[in-house]
Amino acid sequence: MNELFEYKDPATGYTIKQFTNNKERASKLYFSTESFTGDDRYFFYQREENGKARMYRVEYATGQQELALDENYHHFGMDYHRPCAYARKGDSVYRMDTDSGLLAEVGALPPGNCTSHLTVSKSGLVWCSYQQANKIFALVVLDPATGISEVVWQDDHRLGHCQACPGDDATVMYVHETTGDALQRIWMFDYPTRRVRPYYVEKEGDWITHEVWSADGAYLYFMRYPHHIMRGTRDGHNFKVMAESTQFLHIAPSRCGKWIAADRMTGVYKGWKNQVTLINAETGAEKVLVNTAEPNTGDEHPHPSFNRAGTVVLFNSPIEKGFCNVCAVELEQVIS
């Protein structure tokens, strides 16, 4: 299957590659996990077909697509350091070789449901935020070497967006998920001591959201919505405003740390534009890459992120009726 074609953004003039032309939703992976394989040859995306969500692998250069995982697999998350990804089928966790597509069962999770995609620490431990069968929220870790999973933290708050630090095996980020503003959103769990601490301590009026680690785990990027892109050190001792604008929503850094991809949407603040932008992390200057339609739901938000080399921004392009397509813009057009 191949649906690749190109068009020019009428406002910016940049050439956009569109990889899908689906009658239902086709969306890239969430920006808090990799989308591309280590050599940038392939990327993964999720496609709805007759109401069933399936994972496809796309060869970037040609647009050729193949089914990677059927609708029985969920919570797909890629490893920052190794050529593999993890997905859940029933209570079992499977590791996929992202080059060959081969699957191997590595263990099982306790009864319950994931509240985040699977995420991998530096040495390869697999983590997720979770709601157990008894309805209590938790953090769960699975060691693929032994197949053993363990509930290591429980909480009455709704836990979500768990991301193991790719720079160590001790630090795991999670949030108190309110589907909006929270009194204190970001928390860090320390695996060796089984203790938690607030990360960026919020003051009245702060709206903190949309977190993502740098690929080396040295920094956590997040939004102080709607104006400030923030970056903090892993220990939470130092924070920096990386860029300021009328509105940003989702943000993702390139692996080299020089660039940040961001989106903005009208949403609550009508009159603001729907765009994907590129931000120079050293200066805070931004360039608009593409203008998009208004997304119908959060599933159609652009959620831009980079390939491994930092030369491509992959994003969702919303279309009418609540659907979207997977697109990319190559940065050689933008960066001289």
Side-chain angles (χ1 to χ4, degrees), residues 275-314:
Q275 295 175 327
V276 175
T277 71
L278 179 71
I279 297 155
N280 186 318
E282 296 173 354
T283 66
E286 69 170 297
K287 291 184 178 181
V288 176
L289 300 178
V290 62
N291 294 268
T292 74
E294 175 81 7
N296 188 54
T297 72
D299 290 328
E300 292 89 47
H301 287 167
H303 296 152
S305 60
F306 293 89
N307 66 347
R308 306 264 181 150
T311 57
V312 170
V313 172
L314 194 71

Side-chain angles (χ1 to χ4, degrees), residues 110-171:
N113 294 298
C114 299
T115 63
S116 64
H117 61 70
L118 299 176
T119 175
V120 188
S121 70
K122 184 177 182 179
S123 74
L125 297 175
V126 180
W127 290 82
C128 62
S129 47
Y130 213 73
Q131 187 174 28
Q132 301 171 91
N134 61 11
K135 305 303 181 183
I136 296 173
F137 289 92
L139 297 178
V140 176
V141 60
L142 169 68
D143 186 349
T146 65
I148 297 173
S149 63
E150 182 183 7
V151 175
V152 294
W153 180 256
Q154 297 186 100
D155 205 307
D156 287 330
H157 295 88
R158 178 176 289 274
L159 307 186
H161 292 277
C162 172
Q163 294 175 52
C165 178
D168 66 23
D169 287 316
T171 311

Side-chain angles (χ1 to χ4, degrees), residues 157 174-178 181-187 197-203 208:
H157 295 88
Y174 68 92
V175 308
H176 288 175
E177 182 59 84
T178 65
D181 195 6
L183 289 175
Q184 174 59 46
R185 178 175 165 95
I186 308 177
W187 296 78
R197 59 179 172 84
Y199 177 67
Y200 179 84
V201 179
E202 298 187 41
K203 62 182 183 297
I208 304 301

Side-chain angles (χ1 to χ4, degrees), residues 224-255:
R224 189 165 68 195
Y225 183 78
H227 302 300
H228 301 108
I229 297 174
M230 304 289 295
R231 188 187 74 182
T233 53
R234 184 190 312 168
D235 59 15
H237 291 169
N238 294 283
F239 296 95
K240 180 181 179 181
V241 175
M242 304 299 291
E244 180 177 359
S245 186
T246 54
Q247 185 209 23
F248 295 119
L249 188 55
H250 306 93
I251 43 101
S254 63
R255 281 190 164 237

Side-chain angles (χ1 to χ4, degrees), residues 33-73:
T33 187
E34 294 279 7
S35 290
F36 283 82
T37 55
D39 59 3
D40 281 334
R41 181 178 178 183
Y42 301 102
F43 71 85
F44 293 87
Y45 82 94
Q46 190 172 71
R47 183 185 187 99
E48 292 191 10
E49 297 172 315
N50 299 317
K52 296 179 179 180
R54 298 174 174 130
M55 191 69 62
Y56 278 81
R57 188 178 75 165
V58 182
E59 186 173 45
Y60 180 81
T62 67
Q64 189 63 35
Q65 303 185 34
E66 60 182 357
L67 181 67
L69 294 171
D70 66 26
E71 64 272 15
N72 295 304
Y73 293 87

